[in-house]
Amino acid sequence: MKTLKITLLFCLVSVFSFAQVSQNQKAALVDLYNATNGDSWINSWDLEQPVSSWYGLTIENDSVVAIKMTFNGLVGTLPESISDLNNLVVLDLAFNRLEGELPNTLVDMVSLEELKLFSNSFSGGIPTDIGNLVNLKTLELYNNDLFGAIPSSIGNLKKLESLMLSSNLLMGTLPASISNLKSLKVLSVFDNNLFGTIPSSIAQLTELEELVLSNNAFYGNLPGVLAELKGLKTLLLSNNQFKGNYAVLKEALPNIVDFDLDEVNLKGSLATLDVEDED
């Protein structure tokens, strides 16, 4: 009888040890492993072991809720099946050697709160329906080879606090819909091929602490409404074609710490900074 109890207890422990994630989720993880040369990762997975033992995963309530594998030697592409991890809250694959286009299925992962794919070699455009990820708080895609326009649907990400798209090949204007991102604290798009004027509605981003627009082809008079962003600590505007004397703007921002200047914008009278109309 005692032996039977011990056997039953062992069986129960085994069941609970291996009852972790659905076959669908495990298959998606194996796809990720295969598509990114998992055998050569710095911290690889033993596919024969329980998913709970696999490096970089957080599992809650039998679902994978986080993948964090920065600097882990991932080489290859993101598989479409990544979206089968439908309870994923954090996807952080920064500082690897991933390439190819971002899978369209990425926009189906509506539980995501953090999407960090920076410092890879992703190409193609930002998915048009990126705005479907309504729970995103962090979207960091900088230092890749992404091109095309910033989708206007990005304005649907009402919870977004950090939008970092710098050091890509993005073109077009800054979409006016960005003014919908009332929780935004960081907006960084430097070192792209963006152009046009800055929409005056940017003044609605009252939580903004960092605004980085340097090294693009923006033009026109600096919108005076920038002076309304009293919480700004970082404002980087150089290497564009803006007109106006930055000094008058700097004086209006009490918390400014990092502020860059073009020599041409240090000269002339302290003219009123005109508001530009939105395109």
Side-chain angles (χ1 to χ4, degrees), residues 198-258:
I198 304 304
S200 59
S201 56
I202 201 169
Q204 297 174 29
L205 304 181
T206 56
E207 300 296 315
L208 207 59
E209 297 178 1
E210 295 185 25
L211 178 58
V212 185
L213 307 178
S214 303
N215 296 359
N216 281 286
F218 292 118
Y219 56 78
N221 292 338
L222 288 172
V225 293
L226 287 178
E228 298 176 23
L229 300 176
K230 301 298 185 184
L232 276 181
K233 298 175 182 177
T234 298
L235 178 59
L236 305 181
L237 304 171
S238 63
N239 294 323
N240 284 290
Q241 300 299 317
F242 290 126
K243 297 177 182 178
N245 191 310
Y246 291 3
V248 80
L249 181 57
K250 185 176 183 180
E251 289 172 3
L253 298 172
N255 296 309
I256 205 72
V257 176
D258 297 314

Side-chain angles (χ1 to χ4, degrees), residues 76-256:
T77 61
L78 272 186
E80 296 278 337
S81 59
I82 192 78
S83 62
D84 289 338
L85 301 169
N86 51 12
N87 292 306
L88 203 64
V89 175
V90 177
L91 179 58
D92 185 354
L93 302 177
F95 293 109
N96 284 290
R97 287 183 288 160
L98 298 171
E99 59 187 10
E101 296 189 11
L102 298 176
N104 288 325
T105 56
L106 204 62
V107 302
D108 298 327
M109 303 177 71
V110 295
S111 294
L112 275 179
E113 295 181 8
E114 296 182 23
L115 180 56
K116 298 180 178 182
L117 301 176
F118 57 88
S119 294
N120 281 284
S121 297
F122 288 111
S123 57
I126 298 172
T128 303
D129 295 326
I130 193 73
N132 290 358
L133 302 180
V134 294
N135 289 302
L136 268 189
K137 296 179 180 178
T138 300
L139 178 57
E140 298 181 355
L141 304 177
Y142 60 90
N143 198 21
N144 279 288
D145 296 313
L146 298 171
F147 57 82
I150 299 174
S152 60
S153 72
I154 212 160
N156 297 337
L157 305 179
K158 303 294 178 61
K159 298 180 181 180
L160 202 63
E161 297 177 3
S162 178
L163 176 57
M164 302 180 70
L165 305 177
S166 299
S167 297
N168 279 289
L169 304 169
L170 298 173
M171 299 174 287
T173 60
L174 199 62
S177 62
I178 280 181
S179 63
N180 296 335
L181 308 181
K182 301 299 193 294
S183 299
L184 202 63
K185 295 180 179 179
V186 178
L187 172 55
S188 179
V189 295
F190 78 84
D191 196 21
N192 278 289
N193 299 310
L194 299 171
F195 58 84
T197 58
I198 304 304
S200 59
S201 56
I202 201 169
Q204 297 174 29
L205 304 181
T206 56
E207 300 296 315
L208 207 59
E209 297 178 1
E210 295 185 25
L211 178 58
V212 185
L213 307 178
S214 303
N215 296 359
N216 281 286
F218 292 118
Y219 56 78
N221 292 338
L222 288 172
V225 293
L226 287 178
E228 298 176 23
L229 300 176
K230 301 298 185 184
L232 276 181
K233 298 175 182 177
T234 298
L235 178 59
L236 305 181
L237 304 171
S238 63
N239 294 323
N240 284 290
Q241 300 299 317
F242 290 126
K243 297 177 182 178
N245 191 310
Y246 291 3
V248 80
L249 181 57
K250 185 176 183 180
E251 289 172 3
L253 298 172
N255 296 309
I256 205 72

Side-chain angles (χ1 to χ4, degrees), residues 19-63:
Q20 300 173 63
V21 302
S22 67
Q23 280 302 116
N24 236 14
Q25 290 186 69
K26 184 174 182 180
L29 292 170
V30 173
D31 285 350
L32 176 63
Y33 179 92
N34 290 330
T36 58
N37 200 19
D39 288 343
S40 299
W41 292 353
I42 295 171
N43 296 287
S44 191
W45 294 342
D46 184 344
L47 301 185
E48 300 300 318
Q49 294 300 312
V51 174
S52 60
S53 70
W54 294 2
Y55 172 81
L57 303 184
T58 301
I59 299 172
E60 295 178 1
N61 299 321
D62 296 339
S63 287

